Amino acid sequence: MIAALLRRDLAQFFPFTGSGAALPVVFFVAVAMLFPFAVGPDANLLAKTGGGVVWIAALLAAILPLEKLVARDIELGFFDQLRLRGMAEEAMMAVRLLAHWLSFGPPLVLATFPAAALLKIEGETFQILMLGLIAGTPGLAAIGLMIAALTASLRAGAALSGLLLIPLALPILIFGAGALARQDQVSLGFVAAISLALVALAPFAAGAAIRAAREN
Amino acid sequence: MQALVPSLIADNLACRRGDRLLFRRLSFALEPGAACHVMGANGAGKTTLIRAVAGLTTPYAGEVRRTGALALLDERTGLDPDLPLGRALAFWFGVDGTGDAAAIIARLRLEALAEVPVRYLSTGQKKRAALARVLGQAAPIWLLDEPLSGLDTASQGLVSALVREHCQGGGIALIASHQPLDVPGMTAFAIEDFAPAEAEEEA
């Protein structure tokens, strides 16, 4: 049942096949493309600030899919039907977390190649940026899932989830973008640790949230 | 799972919606082959009862005991609106290991709709699709919440026939509906009979 659910979730959320399309990735590249227009083509300035821009673009791109992530399947009664078949909410949310990350994490990492070229990010900076995104996007996905599950039953849930994600994502952003400024890979370890803790926590928090949403 | 004798027992059930007590001291015991019709006006608590019996919500008081798997039909289909009906149903048939999917689809007259995205289906067509999902689950206990709403006369007759067959095969059906069903031997109760008296509600 887990495999069938993962296949279904991936088909729902994956860029180019799902209804969500490739919008977050396109958005991500668009921000990287617009930035040089806004600050001018000075290569030094771009290389210095570009990494931070990529991180902010990644964070904003992670907000885009949240609206559909959980609320739609609650309205459909989809989770209820799985529950009746004996699946725990935590398992549903763990599968959803994996599908959500797969649908925006790896595409974002790939899109970093053109984005980095546009922002003149090269050499070790590029390496740190890539590693940081690989370590940080699972954490962003986990925060997104928890928020999407918590706000699913609220009327203004979609708008709220974007606002809620930003402060919670700050630690990942600080260590991820901080690694770029100091050119050191140590703080990437912090990013990975924060991500890991969030990924471990998210299925339980999100599972409890969708159970609670049934009670009202 | 089929080896177990299915049973569905509600013991002294009470449920609230918000601050309001909808019903209390509601008990029933359904043996294999039993069908029970829950009647009641809109808002009386039929859906609340069905969801509590399904184990999706925790009742305010009392408990539900059941043996056997449970299939639920309510106003939400559980079918992906963007997928063609055939593929949306195939997901659940796959999860439930349904063998005779084609026969179920034919029985509910859904063959012609297989390529139509679920969101374009009419209310009645969606209801028939959800019934196909319930049949595919082959669960001994059926919880049907308003199975007749939105259906034409022919399809309403079909629902009654499906419930009759299900119960003749030893299944249990608990049906919440304000419309009559043609199922011989079906017991019935009105949920209003279990509503708290005015004074009690104030207390």
Side-chain angles (χ1 to χ4, degrees):
Chain A
M1 201 191 302
I2 299 269
L5 179 61
L6 182 60
R7 267 200 306 278
R8 180 261 182 194
D9 279 1
L10 274 177
Q12 286 274 307
F13 297 111
F14 213 69
F16 310 114
T17 59
S19 46
L23 213 58
V25 178
V26 172
F27 176 82
F28 176 78
V29 178
V31 171
M33 197 181 73
L34 280 176
F35 189 66
F37 285 112
V39 301
D42 178 357
N44 274 332
L45 183 66
L46 282 179
K48 227 174 197 164
T49 54
V53 171
V54 169
W55 267 102
I56 290 174
L59 203 149
L60 294 178
I63 294 176
L64 289 181
L66 293 190
E67 187 182 354
K68 284 182 173 176
L69 196 58
V70 175
R72 213 176 66 139
D73 280 343
I74 288 184
E75 271 165 41
L76 270 184
F78 187 81
F79 295 130
D80 291 353
Q81 291 295 333
L82 288 175
R83 180 77 196 85
L84 294 178
R85 286 157 177 81
M87 187 184 260
E89 283 81 6
E90 286 76 11
M92 299 170 206
M93 289 295 105
V95 171
R96 184 58 47 98
L97 174 60
L98 182 59
H100 174 43
W101 179 72
L102 283 174
S103 70
F104 94 93
L108 221 60
V109 169
L110 287 179
T112 304
F113 283 101
L118 287 164
L119 295 167
K120 303 271 185 267
I121 300 169
E122 285 155 344
E124 201 187 351
T125 313
F126 177 69
Q127 212 183 343
I128 292 173
L129 178 63
M130 277 301 217
L131 287 174
L133 284 177
I134 292 169
T137 45
L140 292 180
I143 298 172
L145 180 74
M146 284 190 272
I147 290 172
L150 274 169
T151 58
S153 53
L154 302 180
R155 200 176 294 270
L160 197 60
S161 53
L163 276 180
L164 283 173
L165 184 126
I166 290 169
L168 291 174
L170 268 183
I172 293 179
L173 188 70
I174 288 171
F175 286 112
L180 291 166
R182 287 193 303 280
Q183 295 277 325
D184 85 89
Q185 303 200 357
V186 180
S187 44
L188 291 183
F190 283 107
V191 178
I194 296 168
S195 267
L196 210 60
L198 286 167
V199 166
L201 197 72
F204 296 97
I210 60 171
R211 258 197 309 275
R214 288 198 187 111
E215 300 283 348
N216 52 29
Chain B
M1 223 181 306
Q2 295 292 355
L4 293 169
V5 177
S7 73
L8 183 65
I9 297 162
D11 187 11
N12 226 348
L13 219 53
C15 284
R16 296 191 305 180
R17 183 168 52 225
D19 288 335
R20 197 161 75 89
L21 192 63
L22 292 168
F23 54 82
R24 86 279 184 258
R25 288 178 220 145
L26 196 161
S27 299
F28 58 78
L30 300 180
E31 299 294 318
C36 181
H37 185 179
V38 185
M39 295 176 293
N42 297 333
K46 296 193 296 293
T47 299
T48 307
L49 172 68
I50 291 279
R51 289 181 67 78
V53 171
L56 291 170
T57 56
T58 316
Y60 180 54
E63 63 170 347
V64 177
R65 290 189 297 275
R66 74 177 160 94
T67 319
L70 197 145
L72 170 72
L73 173 84
D74 58 10
E75 87 277 49
R76 299 174 304 173
T77 58
L79 301 167
D80 289 326
D82 296 330
L83 287 185
L85 177 62
R87 277 177 53 202
L89 276 175
F91 169 77
W92 291 113
F93 289 157
V95 166
D96 295 327
T98 307
D100 48 356
I104 290 171
I105 286 172
R107 183 83 200 266
L108 288 155
R109 294 177 285 114
L110 295 168
E111 304 103 317
L113 301 172
E115 298 301 319
V116 181
V118 172
R119 66 170 183 277
Y120 292 131
L121 299 180
S122 73
T123 312
Q125 287 166 338
K126 276 184 190 151
K127 189 69 87 180
R128 294 211 312 266
L131 274 164
R133 192 202 67 222
V134 167
L135 283 178
Q137 207 178 337
I141 304 173
W142 282 6
L143 299 180
L144 309 180
D145 187 8
E146 297 293 354
L148 301 180
S149 69
L151 291 181
D152 54 33
T153 320
S155 302
Q156 291 186 359
L158 178 62
V159 172
S160 291
L162 290 172
V163 173
R164 278 200 301 272
E165 284 168 31
H166 176 67
C167 292
Q168 274 159 16
I172 292 172
L174 181 69
I175 303 156
S177 176
H178 57 262
Q179 287 161 289
L181 279 100
D182 176 22
V183 179
M186 182 165 67
T187 55
F189 65 84
I191 206 147
E192 282 95 344
D193 294 345
F194 298 92
E198 292 291 322
E200 210 179 326
E201 199 179 352
E202 294 297 317

